């Protein structure tokens, strides 16, 4: 708690103890992290049930609901006008939990066509404002991904106009993470271009949610320093630290919200002599699915160099046999034994071999990011995603 003197503390304490309503005591204060999360439309009612169950731990929810047509109109993928969503919204408001729908797009060219055209941009802003007002929502979250640097000026104009039109409603801006240039490039370009203008975002957005996940092989320095085993993180806490440090250089800390993953990804990794060479994405997986795959293949997930959980196994259709006689380091984690044997096989025979890697974020990995957010003194954390498939233990760290 930040107070100027003990008298101020005493007054504040008495106010909380005797005057503040009990409902307010369940929520976070300015000295604590704001806790929020996205509810994905593709999980149907699972997300609604999970979020409703944990409303007492949340300050805001983001129904991942609207997509954008090429004409700039909104398409409700979640069905926010249905009774289950309406009932959830009422329950959230009773708990003083903000409900802020996300408008999303992964089509950078389509968004460019809208925001670069003053007429379409104005209409798009009107559609968003109407949606917020008609739904009696607390604001809107804008998540437009896949845009190129040449859209930056128009995107800044769009956000500025949208904020003005929203009035006292919240404008949340969800943005991709920026890896420090010297970790992203072997030779840093003389000029770097981004699709977001941090100066504008820092001014007009009330919350700036950084999607600090899907790291994969983005950080060349970490790829090198953590080699010797498959390395394909969802979000290595060391990488997240770099992302947050870079963001706080340009953005107000009291607006930054750290996006935290609750999911995992399965990969096929081709192993060459002395090298885990190529990674091919098989698909996203939740924690329970990952653990089921591990059990089926008789392997134990273990904590990896990124602070997350992972395991490796040989696909059933593989023609390669990895003998237990292959020599591997004695301190090889149980989850990485198959990959270590694959590397020993490749080194011995000169032939490549493919193994599968399951990699996911559990409660402890999530707690590392929560602790990091507290360390940097930023506004809060946002879970991606809330759908009943996250590690249930994570809520112990968010209460």
């Amino acid at each position: 708690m930040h107070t100027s003197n003990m008298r101020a503390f005493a007054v504040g304490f008495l106010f909380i103890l005797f005057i503040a309503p009990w409902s307010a005591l369940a929520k976070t204060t300015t000295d604590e992290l704001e806790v929020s999360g996205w509810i994905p439309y593709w999980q149907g009612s699972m997300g609604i049930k999970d979020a409703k169950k944990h409303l007492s731990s949340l300050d805001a929810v983001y129904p991942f609901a609207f997509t954008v047509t090429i004409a700039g109109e909104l398409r409700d993928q979640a069905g926010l006008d249905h009774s289950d969503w309406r009932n959830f919204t009422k329950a959230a408001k009773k708990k003083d939990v903000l409900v802020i729908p996300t408008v999303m797009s992964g089509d950078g060219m389509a968004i460019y066509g809208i925001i670069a055209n003053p007429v379409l941009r104005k209409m798009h802003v009107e559609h968003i404002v109407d949606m917020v007002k008609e739904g009696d929502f607390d604001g809107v979250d804008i998540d437009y991904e896949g845009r190129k640097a040449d859209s930056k000026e128009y995107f800044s104009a769009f956000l500025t106009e949208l904020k003005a039109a929203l009035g006292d409603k919240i404008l949340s801006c969800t943005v991709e993470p920026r890896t420090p240039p010297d970790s992203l490039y072997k030779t840093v370009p003389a000029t770097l271009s981004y699709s977001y203008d941090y100066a504008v975002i820092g001014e007009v957005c009330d919350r700036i949610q950084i999607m600090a996940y899907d790291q994969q092989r983005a950080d060349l320095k970490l790829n090198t320093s953590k080699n010797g085993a498959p390395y394909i993180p969802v979000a290595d806490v060391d990488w997240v630290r770099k992302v947050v440090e870079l963001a706080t250089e340009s953005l107000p800390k009291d607006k930054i919200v750290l996006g935290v993953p609750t999911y995992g990804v399965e990969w096929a990794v081709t192993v060459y002599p002395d090298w885990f060479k190529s990674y091919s994405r098989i698909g996203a997986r939740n924690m329970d699915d990952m653990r089921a795959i591990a059990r089926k293949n008789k392997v134990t997930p273990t904590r990896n160099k990124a602070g997350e959980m992972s395991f490796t196994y040989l696909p059933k259709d593989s023609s390669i046999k990895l003998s237990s006689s292959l020599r591997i380091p004695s301190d090889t984690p149980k989850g990485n034994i198959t990959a270590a044997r694959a590397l020993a096989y490749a080194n011995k025979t000169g032939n490549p071999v493919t193994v599968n890697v399951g990699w996911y974020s559990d409660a402890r990995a999530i707690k590392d990011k929560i602790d990091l957010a507290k360390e940097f003194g930023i506004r809060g954390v946002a879970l991606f995603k809330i759908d009943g498939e996250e590690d249930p233990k994570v809520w112990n760290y968010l209460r």
Side-chain angles (χ1 to χ4, degrees):
M1 179 178 293
H2 304 291
T3 55
S4 58
N5 52 52
M6 289 302 294
R7 180 176 298 175
F9 171 77
V11 171
F13 178 76
L14 290 173
F15 172 81
I16 292 173
L17 187 61
F18 297 111
I19 301 175
W22 286 106
S23 61
L25 294 180
K27 310 312 295 176
T28 59
T29 71
T30 55
D31 298 312
E32 298 173 339
L33 287 178
E34 181 178 275
V35 178
S36 59
W38 286 275
I39 305 175
Y41 71 84
W42 56 86
Q43 291 290 64
S45 63
M46 290 175 59
I48 299 173
K49 291 178 181 178
D50 191 31
K52 191 171 184 178
K53 179 180 176 182
H54 295 106
L55 281 175
S56 61
S57 298
L58 291 164
D59 297 289
V61 291
Y62 300 92
F64 212 60
F66 292 96
T67 54
V68 183
T69 71
I70 58 174
E73 298 174 342
L74 304 185
R75 185 167 293 160
D76 183 0
Q77 304 287 4
L80 293 185
D81 58 343
H82 294 173
S83 60
D84 52 353
W85 271 111
R86 290 201 305 270
N87 292 335
F88 170 78
T89 300
K90 290 179 182 178
K93 288 183 179 295
K94 286 182 179 179
K95 292 282 189 177
D96 294 323
V97 176
L98 301 172
V99 180
I100 304 172
T102 294
V103 180
M104 57 189 160
S105 174
D107 189 338
M109 289 300 295
I111 291 298
Y112 180 91
I114 296 167
I115 62 177
N117 183 315
V119 175
L120 287 180
R121 186 171 71 231
K122 183 176 183 293
M123 291 176 58
H124 185 46
V125 167
E126 291 172 352
H127 288 312
I128 294 172
V129 172
D130 288 345
M131 176 271 292
V132 172
K133 290 181 178 179
E134 290 170 6
D136 191 25
F137 298 119
D138 296 292
V140 66
D141 174 43
I142 300 297
D143 179 11
Y144 293 172
E145 303 174 34
R147 294 180 300 102
K148 294 184 178 181
D150 59 1
S151 70
K152 180 171 68 174
E153 175 186 347
Y154 302 114
F155 191 67
S156 293
F158 161 66
L159 291 180
T160 301
E161 293 165 12
L162 177 58
K163 177 57 183 173
L166 283 169
D168 59 357
K169 296 289 186 176
I170 293 169
L171 174 59
S172 169
C173 301
T174 295
V175 301
E176 292 100 337
R178 289 185 184 176
T179 300
D182 63 350
S183 293
L184 189 61
Y185 300 97
K186 290 182 179 179
T187 302
V188 178
T191 302
L192 292 172
S193 299
Y194 296 102
S195 61
Y196 296 100
D197 187 329
Y198 266 8
V200 173
I201 287 177
E203 179 180 352
V204 304
C205 300
D206 300 301
R207 286 163 177 76
I208 304 162
Q209 307 197 104
I210 300 176
M211 297 180 287
Y213 38 82
D214 282 345
Q215 173 191 345
Q216 302 179 23
R217 302 285 291 175
D219 192 309
L220 301 184
K221 287 185 176 180
L222 290 178
N223 293 349
T224 299
S225 66
K226 302 196 178 188
N227 62 9
Y231 180 74
I232 189 76
V234 181
D236 186 331
V237 67
D238 292 338
W239 173 73
V240 176
R241 176 177 292 277
K242 293 183 184 184
V243 168
V244 176
E245 284 180 343
L246 186 61
T248 54
E249 291 176 4
S250 305
L251 297 173
K253 285 186 177 183
D254 62 353
K255 291 187 175 185
I256 297 175
V257 177
L258 180 62
V260 179
T262 64
Y263 62 92
V265 181
E266 188 176 10
W267 301 86
V269 182
T270 304
V271 187
Y272 279 71
D274 299 318
W275 193 14
F276 295 98
K277 182 180 179 180
S278 62
Y279 296 79
S280 177
R281 184 184 176 104
I282 297 174
R285 305 279 187 266
N286 63 49
M287 186 186 70
D288 286 344
D289 286 343
M290 285 294 193
R291 290 177 173 174
I293 293 170
R295 287 194 300 270
K296 182 178 179 180
N297 289 278
K298 299 179 180 179
V299 60
T300 303
T302 49
R303 191 75 48 194
N304 52 47
K305 294 180 179 180
E308 298 177 305
M309 298 297 288
S310 63
F311 58 90
T312 61
Y313 68 95
L314 198 64
K316 296 297 183 183
D317 59 357
S318 176
S319 60
I320 304 295
K321 302 297 180 183
L322 297 177
S323 171
S324 59
S325 64
L326 288 165
R327 298 186 63 181
I328 62 175
S330 59
D331 60 349
T332 300
K334 290 182 179 180
N336 198 49
I337 287 176
T338 298
R341 286 177 178 164
L343 184 62
Y345 174 89
N347 288 339
K348 181 179 179 180
T349 66
N351 298 321
V353 57
T354 298
V355 298
N356 284 6
V357 177
W359 196 298
Y360 62 95
S361 184
D362 68 343
R364 178 174 158 183
I366 294 169
K367 181 181 182 299
D368 287 342
K369 281 80 174 186
I370 295 171
D371 291 344
L372 190 67
K374 291 179 179 178
E375 176 188 338
F376 276 88
I378 61 177
R379 183 183 189 95
V381 294
L383 300 180
F384 185 80
K385 45 195 174 40
I386 299 175
D387 60 357
E389 295 186 343
E390 71 277 2
D391 187 341
K393 293 180 181 178
V394 71
W395 296 103
N396 296 331
Y397 303 123
L398 295 172
R399 293 195 180 107

